[in-house]
Amino acid sequence: MEPVQFVFYAFATVLVLASLAVITARNPVYSVLFLVLAFFTSAAIWLLLEAEFLAITLVLVYVGAVMVLFLFVVMMLDINLDQLREGFAKYLPVGALVGFIILVQMVIVLGPEQFGLDRVADPVKHGPDYSNTKELGNVLYTDYVFPFELASVILLVAIVAAIALTLRRRPENKAMNAADQIKVKRAERIKLIAMAPEKDEPAEG
Amino acid sequence: MLEWLQSTWMSLPMSVQDTVIIVAKIVAIVVPIMLSVAYLTLAERKVIGYIQVRIGPNRVGPRGLLQPIADGLKLLMKEIIVPHNANRYLFIIAPILALAPALAAWAVIPFNDEWVLADIDAGLLYLLAMTSMAVYGVILAGWASNSKYAFLGAIRSAAQVVSYEIAMGFALVGVLMAAGSLNLQDIVLAQQGSFLHWFWIPLFPLFLVYFISGVAETNRAPFDVAEGESEIVAGFHVEYSGMTFALFFLAEYANMILISVLSAVMFLGGWLPPIEGIPIIGEPSIFWLLAKTSFFLFLFLWFRATFPRYRYDQIMRLGWKIFIPITIVWIVVTGVLVLANVSPWFD
């Protein structure tokens, strides 16, 4: 076996096993961690395709940001596994049927006869001087500049909407406002009073 | 003997030769980092000692120079205690996950015009990806310890790191716009000239934001609420002892050195000399990179000795409401500067 093939099969095996573990792990924290592993190995497989920009972005965005927040949320959940497993046998036939239909559909669309080297050409190999990042930038900002900008505007709207949905004014909330605290001047808090010195009387008794 | 070595070397297949060379380079990077980490701990105690008019460690070896070795040996000998009901596997994996990205990031750092392990085009992106992964070690440590103090520390740390990563990423966007490349070697070369040509002048706000975010990302004072001795004992590593604790310590200091090197590479011209054309001092060399890195490391220690710890809501306010708007505005300014070919940086 060629070294590249060996690397591919090693990472592909890890990827498949990790993906299986995501749905079979009992502890949801383990599921999230296996999903992280799955993202990481698929990034490695993309590196084999010389798509280093996409591979590193996958690690940066999904492993570095999205999954951290996932982990954060999953750790905070108080999940009662017994309650979740209740009625597993009752719902099994329905679940199995739905799963089977999805599987058939995926095999029809993504089956091996749709791919393979006779249908999809072997990706062109480039030398070490070839810059994947530069090529991607060229395509994104010339041919696809409008879809790209549109996607960014939609994302911006989503960010604004998410903030608007969660922003609540709560007058009863006693949280401190850091901006007000910083703006405070000495004169607003302290008043200096001129007064005559008092004579100290010795305490009696 | 030499001839025998040469002939054996030649008889090895090309792939094996490459692997051996790469491993040798990795060792040549990691060993000095580990030594620097050891002596950075001594430097920290000494510098803070003198700032507080004390002497600092001075008993082990001449002038206390063997103190880090003694500390390391002590930690090696100590027992690793896994708390009751802790998640055993994650408890052990967490410190490894904290240290590994801190070391992996060094692969793309250019030490001089030839010394760089992986001269890749997406170097800056790779760095950002690696530094963003360090937070897993902290979160998992907090969760796996099965202790409320550790968990509180982990949650604080995760929220803080994710927040400051955005400001940091935007600061890097400014750098890559100015240099026109994601490759760190190209970023250094784009700053060629004297210290007036370095990016700290046109990108001054980004420079400040980057370094302060770096301090926050490494959970160092004044942003060390993840440890917060006075509130949550020691935060995420409260249950760790012996070598597992030492790994967290190594990761924190390796990250400090990494942030310092990156600040030097991206804003202070990396291995370029401040004034060119003078013999010996004016030569570009690794010593300039080390000098600039040491300056930033000293800032880390100086901050710790000077500033009181931030309150948690103030940390969030600084990250989200001050740093991110500043970086967004300055990215636009940088774009204008680059388009207008402002000399001496962008001509």
PDB file of all heavy atoms in Angstrom, chain B residues 77-98:
ATOM      1  N   MET B  77       8.088  13.527  41.236  1.00  0.00           N
ATOM      2  CA  MET B  77       8.047  12.503  42.274  1.00  0.00           C
ATOM      3  C   MET B  77       6.673  12.393  42.918  1.00  0.00           C
ATOM      4  O   MET B  77       6.360  11.396  43.531  1.00  0.00           O
ATOM      5  CB  MET B  77       9.047  12.844  43.384  1.00  0.00           C
ATOM      6  CG  MET B  77      10.431  13.093  42.892  1.00  0.00           C
ATOM      7  SD  MET B  77      11.150  11.592  42.317  1.00  0.00           S
ATOM      8  CE  MET B  77      12.616  11.587  43.289  1.00  0.00           C
ATOM      9  N   LYS B  78       5.856  13.461  42.806  1.00  0.00           N
ATOM     10  CA  LYS B  78       4.607  13.469  43.555  1.00  0.00           C
ATOM     11  C   LYS B  78       3.598  12.488  42.983  1.00  0.00           C
ATOM     12  O   LYS B  78       3.596  12.195  41.791  1.00  0.00           O
ATOM     13  CB  LYS B  78       4.023  14.880  43.531  1.00  0.00           C
ATOM     14  CG  LYS B  78       4.603  15.771  44.589  1.00  0.00           C
ATOM     15  CD  LYS B  78       3.824  17.052  44.621  1.00  0.00           C
ATOM     16  CE  LYS B  78       3.975  17.752  45.939  1.00  0.00           C
ATOM     17  NZ  LYS B  78       3.160  18.963  45.965  1.00  0.00           N
ATOM     18  N   GLU B  79       2.700  12.059  43.840  1.00  0.00           N
ATOM     19  CA  GLU B  79       1.685  11.111  43.410  1.00  0.00           C
ATOM     20  C   GLU B  79       0.609  11.838  42.623  1.00  0.00           C
ATOM     21  O   GLU B  79       0.258  12.975  42.934  1.00  0.00           O
ATOM     22  CB  GLU B  79       1.053  10.465  44.653  1.00  0.00           C
ATOM     23  CG  GLU B  79       0.055   9.401  44.313  1.00  0.00           C
ATOM     24  CD  GLU B  79      -0.693   8.916  45.543  1.00  0.00           C
ATOM     25  OE1 GLU B  79      -0.359   9.366  46.646  1.00  0.00           O
ATOM     26  OE2 GLU B  79      -1.607   8.101  45.368  1.00  0.00           O
ATOM     27  N   ILE B  80       0.088  11.169  41.573  1.00  0.00           N
ATOM     28  CA  ILE B  80      -1.038  11.728  40.830  1.00  0.00           C
ATOM     29  C   ILE B  80      -2.309  11.202  41.469  1.00  0.00           C
ATOM     30  O   ILE B  80      -2.564   9.994  41.462  1.00  0.00           O
ATOM     31  CB  ILE B  80      -0.977  11.330  39.346  1.00  0.00           C
ATOM     32  CG1 ILE B  80       0.271  11.923  38.711  1.00  0.00           C
ATOM     33  CG2 ILE B  80      -2.223  11.786  38.615  1.00  0.00           C
ATOM     34  CD1 ILE B  80       0.528  11.434  37.320  1.00  0.00           C
ATOM     35  N   ILE B  81      -3.085  12.097  42.047  1.00  0.00           N
ATOM     36  CA  ILE B  81      -4.298  11.671  42.747  1.00  0.00           C
ATOM     37  C   ILE B  81      -5.493  11.890  41.836  1.00  0.00           C
ATOM     38  O   ILE B  81      -5.724  13.011  41.372  1.00  0.00           O
ATOM     39  CB  ILE B  81      -4.474  12.457  44.055  1.00  0.00           C
ATOM     40  CG1 ILE B  81      -3.268  12.201  44.960  1.00  0.00           C
ATOM     41  CG2 ILE B  81      -5.765  12.054  44.747  1.00  0.00           C
ATOM     42  CD1 ILE B  81      -3.178  13.158  46.101  1.00  0.00           C
ATOM     43  N   VAL B  82      -6.238  10.828  41.566  1.00  0.00           N
ATOM     44  CA  VAL B  82      -7.477  10.973  40.796  1.00  0.00           C
ATOM     45  C   VAL B  82      -8.626  11.018  41.792  1.00  0.00           C
ATOM     46  O   VAL B  82      -8.813  10.075  42.553  1.00  0.00           O
ATOM     47  CB  VAL B  82      -7.660   9.797  39.821  1.00  0.00           C
ATOM     48  CG1 VAL B  82      -8.940   9.974  39.032  1.00  0.00           C
ATOM     49  CG2 VAL B  82      -6.485   9.707  38.877  1.00  0.00           C
ATOM     50  N   PRO B  83      -9.378  12.111  41.821  1.00  0.00           N
ATOM     51  CA  PRO B  83     -10.413  12.243  42.849  1.00  0.00           C
ATOM     52  C   PRO B  83     -11.493  11.182  42.726  1.00  0.00           C
ATOM     53  O   PRO B  83     -11.706  10.607  41.654  1.00  0.00           O
ATOM     54  CB  PRO B  83     -10.994  13.632  42.609  1.00  0.00           C
ATOM     55  CG  PRO B  83     -10.116  14.305  41.648  1.00  0.00           C
ATOM     56  CD  PRO B  83      -9.332  13.267  40.947  1.00  0.00           C
ATOM     57  N   HIS B  84     -12.186  10.974  43.829  1.00  0.00           N
ATOM     58  CA  HIS B  84     -13.292  10.046  43.877  1.00  0.00           C
ATOM     59  C   HIS B  84     -14.365  10.480  42.891  1.00  0.00           C
ATOM     60  O   HIS B  84     -14.677  11.655  42.798  1.00  0.00           O
ATOM     61  CB  HIS B  84     -13.857  10.062  45.304  1.00  0.00           C
ATOM     62  CG  HIS B  84     -14.662   8.860  45.619  1.00  0.00           C
ATOM     63  ND1 HIS B  84     -14.140   7.600  45.561  1.00  0.00           N
ATOM     64  CD2 HIS B  84     -15.945   8.736  45.984  1.00  0.00           C
ATOM     65  CE1 HIS B  84     -15.073   6.738  45.886  1.00  0.00           C
ATOM     66  NE2 HIS B  84     -16.181   7.396  46.145  1.00  0.00           N
ATOM     67  N   ASN B  85     -14.946   9.543  42.143  1.00  0.00           N
ATOM     68  CA  ASN B  85     -16.029   9.837  41.200  1.00  0.00           C
ATOM     69  C   ASN B  85     -15.614  10.741  40.051  1.00  0.00           C
ATOM     70  O   ASN B  85     -16.467  11.245  39.331  1.00  0.00           O
ATOM     71  CB  ASN B  85     -17.226  10.498  41.896  1.00  0.00           C
ATOM     72  CG  ASN B  85     -18.105   9.458  42.529  1.00  0.00           C
ATOM     73  OD1 ASN B  85     -18.024   8.284  42.152  1.00  0.00           O
ATOM     74  ND2 ASN B  85     -18.925   9.865  43.471  1.00  0.00           N
ATOM     75  N   ALA B  86     -14.314  10.991  39.898  1.00  0.00           N
ATOM     76  CA  ALA B  86     -13.875  11.777  38.743  1.00  0.00           C
ATOM     77  C   ALA B  86     -13.899  10.874  37.515  1.00  0.00           C
ATOM     78  O   ALA B  86     -13.859   9.647  37.630  1.00  0.00           O
ATOM     79  CB  ALA B  86     -12.471  12.302  38.968  1.00  0.00           C
ATOM     80  N   ASN B  87     -13.992  11.506  36.351  1.00  0.00           N
ATOM     81  CA  ASN B  87     -13.950  10.721  35.123  1.00  0.00           C
ATOM     82  C   ASN B  87     -12.486  10.444  34.785  1.00  0.00           C
ATOM     83  O   ASN B  87     -11.746  11.327  34.348  1.00  0.00           O
ATOM     84  CB  ASN B  87     -14.619  11.521  34.010  1.00  0.00           C
ATOM     85  CG  ASN B  87     -14.814  10.696  32.783  1.00  0.00           C
ATOM     86  OD1 ASN B  87     -13.913   9.978  32.375  1.00  0.00           O
ATOM     87  ND2 ASN B  87     -15.983  10.763  32.212  1.00  0.00           N
ATOM     88  N   ARG B  88     -12.048   9.199  35.023  1.00  0.00           N
ATOM     89  CA  ARG B  88     -10.634   8.840  34.988  1.00  0.00           C
ATOM     90  C   ARG B  88      -9.947   9.203  33.686  1.00  0.00           C
ATOM     91  O   ARG B  88      -8.903   9.847  33.675  1.00  0.00           O
ATOM     92  CB  ARG B  88     -10.522   7.333  35.200  1.00  0.00           C
ATOM     93  CG  ARG B  88      -9.555   6.964  36.237  1.00  0.00           C
ATOM     94  CD  ARG B  88      -9.248   5.493  36.217  1.00  0.00           C
ATOM     95  NE  ARG B  88      -7.845   5.353  36.545  1.00  0.00           N
ATOM     96  CZ  ARG B  88      -7.382   5.523  37.776  1.00  0.00           C
ATOM     97  NH1 ARG B  88      -8.204   5.789  38.752  1.00  0.00           N
ATOM     98  NH2 ARG B  88      -6.109   5.428  38.024  1.00  0.00           N
ATOM     99  N   TYR B  89     -10.541   8.794  32.549  1.00  0.00           N
ATOM    100  CA  TYR B  89      -9.863   8.977  31.251  1.00  0.00           C
ATOM    101  C   TYR B  89      -9.728  10.460  30.932  1.00  0.00           C
ATOM    102  O   TYR B  89      -8.654  10.953  30.604  1.00  0.00           O
ATOM    103  CB  TYR B  89     -10.640   8.281  30.142  1.00  0.00           C
ATOM    104  CG  TYR B  89     -10.810   6.821  30.391  1.00  0.00           C
ATOM    105  CD1 TYR B  89     -12.039   6.291  30.720  1.00  0.00           C
ATOM    106  CD2 TYR B  89      -9.707   5.980  30.333  1.00  0.00           C
ATOM    107  CE1 TYR B  89     -12.188   4.950  30.979  1.00  0.00           C
ATOM    108  CE2 TYR B  89      -9.838   4.639  30.591  1.00  0.00           C
ATOM    109  CZ  TYR B  89     -11.094   4.120  30.912  1.00  0.00           C
ATOM    110  OH  TYR B  89     -11.220   2.801  31.178  1.00  0.00           O
ATOM    111  N   LEU B  90     -10.842  11.185  31.037  1.00  0.00           N
ATOM    112  CA  LEU B  90     -10.797  12.597  30.681  1.00  0.00           C
ATOM    113  C   LEU B  90      -9.909  13.360  31.655  1.00  0.00           C
ATOM    114  O   LEU B  90      -9.240  14.314  31.276  1.00  0.00           O
ATOM    115  CB  LEU B  90     -12.210  13.191  30.675  1.00  0.00           C
ATOM    116  CG  LEU B  90     -13.115  12.640  29.580  1.00  0.00           C
ATOM    117  CD1 LEU B  90     -14.440  13.364  29.577  1.00  0.00           C
ATOM    118  CD2 LEU B  90     -12.457  12.776  28.229  1.00  0.00           C
ATOM    119  N   PHE B  91      -9.875  12.914  32.909  1.00  0.00           N
ATOM    120  CA  PHE B  91      -9.043  13.579  33.907  1.00  0.00           C
ATOM    121  C   PHE B  91      -7.564  13.518  33.505  1.00  0.00           C
ATOM    122  O   PHE B  91      -6.821  14.470  33.694  1.00  0.00           O
ATOM    123  CB  PHE B  91      -9.255  12.906  35.267  1.00  0.00           C
ATOM    124  CG  PHE B  91      -8.614  13.621  36.422  1.00  0.00           C
ATOM    125  CD1 PHE B  91      -9.231  14.720  36.977  1.00  0.00           C
ATOM    126  CD2 PHE B  91      -7.404  13.192  36.941  1.00  0.00           C
ATOM    127  CE1 PHE B  91      -8.643  15.391  38.045  1.00  0.00           C
ATOM    128  CE2 PHE B  91      -6.821  13.845  38.003  1.00  0.00           C
ATOM    129  CZ  PHE B  91      -7.439  14.936  38.553  1.00  0.00           C
ATOM    130  N   ILE B  92      -7.154  12.388  32.939  1.00  0.00           N
ATOM    131  CA  ILE B  92      -5.751  12.239  32.523  1.00  0.00           C
ATOM    132  C   ILE B  92      -5.520  12.897  31.159  1.00  0.00           C
ATOM    133  O   ILE B  92      -4.463  13.478  30.909  1.00  0.00           O
ATOM    134  CB  ILE B  92      -5.360  10.742  32.472  1.00  0.00           C
ATOM    135  CG1 ILE B  92      -5.568  10.086  33.840  1.00  0.00           C
ATOM    136  CG2 ILE B  92      -3.933  10.566  32.008  1.00  0.00           C
ATOM    137  CD1 ILE B  92      -4.680  10.592  34.933  1.00  0.00           C
ATOM    138  N   ILE B  93      -6.520  12.815  30.254  1.00  0.00           N
ATOM    139  CA  ILE B  93      -6.325  13.344  28.905  1.00  0.00           C
ATOM    140  C   ILE B  93      -6.278  14.876  28.918  1.00  0.00           C
ATOM    141  O   ILE B  93      -5.547  15.488  28.146  1.00  0.00           O
ATOM    142  CB  ILE B  93      -7.456  12.840  27.970  1.00  0.00           C
ATOM    143  CG1 ILE B  93      -7.267  11.358  27.697  1.00  0.00           C
ATOM    144  CG2 ILE B  93      -7.465  13.594  26.655  1.00  0.00           C
ATOM    145  CD1 ILE B  93      -8.385  10.764  26.907  1.00  0.00           C
ATOM    146  N   ALA B  94      -7.042  15.511  29.834  1.00  0.00           N
ATOM    147  CA  ALA B  94      -7.181  16.973  29.822  1.00  0.00           C
ATOM    148  C   ALA B  94      -5.840  17.720  29.828  1.00  0.00           C
ATOM    149  O   ALA B  94      -5.639  18.589  28.973  1.00  0.00           O
ATOM    150  CB  ALA B  94      -8.064  17.420  30.984  1.00  0.00           C
ATOM    151  N   PRO B  95      -4.897  17.394  30.740  1.00  0.00           N
ATOM    152  CA  PRO B  95      -3.642  18.150  30.699  1.00  0.00           C
ATOM    153  C   PRO B  95      -2.872  17.945  29.398  1.00  0.00           C
ATOM    154  O   PRO B  95      -2.201  18.866  28.932  1.00  0.00           O
ATOM    155  CB  PRO B  95      -2.850  17.606  31.889  1.00  0.00           C
ATOM    156  CG  PRO B  95      -3.627  16.535  32.489  1.00  0.00           C
ATOM    157  CD  PRO B  95      -4.969  16.497  31.893  1.00  0.00           C
ATOM    158  N   ILE B  96      -2.992  16.743  28.806  1.00  0.00           N
ATOM    159  CA  ILE B  96      -2.301  16.497  27.526  1.00  0.00           C
ATOM    160  C   ILE B  96      -2.909  17.380  26.444  1.00  0.00           C
ATOM    161  O   ILE B  96      -2.202  17.992  25.644  1.00  0.00           O
ATOM    162  CB  ILE B  96      -2.419  15.010  27.147  1.00  0.00           C
ATOM    163  CG1 ILE B  96      -1.817  14.151  28.254  1.00  0.00           C
ATOM    164  CG2 ILE B  96      -1.732  14.734  25.829  1.00  0.00           C
ATOM    165  CD1 ILE B  96      -2.083  12.689  28.106  1.00  0.00           C
ATOM    166  N   LEU B  97      -4.244  17.478  26.451  1.00  0.00           N
ATOM    167  CA  LEU B  97      -4.924  18.320  25.462  1.00  0.00           C
ATOM    168  C   LEU B  97      -4.574  19.785  25.659  1.00  0.00           C
ATOM    169  O   LEU B  97      -4.662  20.581  24.730  1.00  0.00           O
ATOM    170  CB  LEU B  97      -6.440  18.147  25.576  1.00  0.00           C
ATOM    171  CG  LEU B  97      -7.032  16.931  24.898  1.00  0.00           C
ATOM    172  CD1 LEU B  97      -8.528  16.907  25.089  1.00  0.00           C
ATOM    173  CD2 LEU B  97      -6.695  16.935  23.431  1.00  0.00           C
ATOM    174  N   ALA B  98      -4.212  20.165  26.877  1.00  0.00           N
ATOM    175  CA  ALA B  98      -3.840  21.554  27.106  1.00  0.00           C
ATOM    176  C   ALA B  98      -2.456  21.839  26.541  1.00  0.00           C
ATOM    177  O   ALA B  98      -2.213  22.904  25.975  1.00  0.00           O
ATOM    178  CB  ALA B  98      -3.869  21.866  28.600  1.00  0.00           C
TER     179      ALA B  98
END
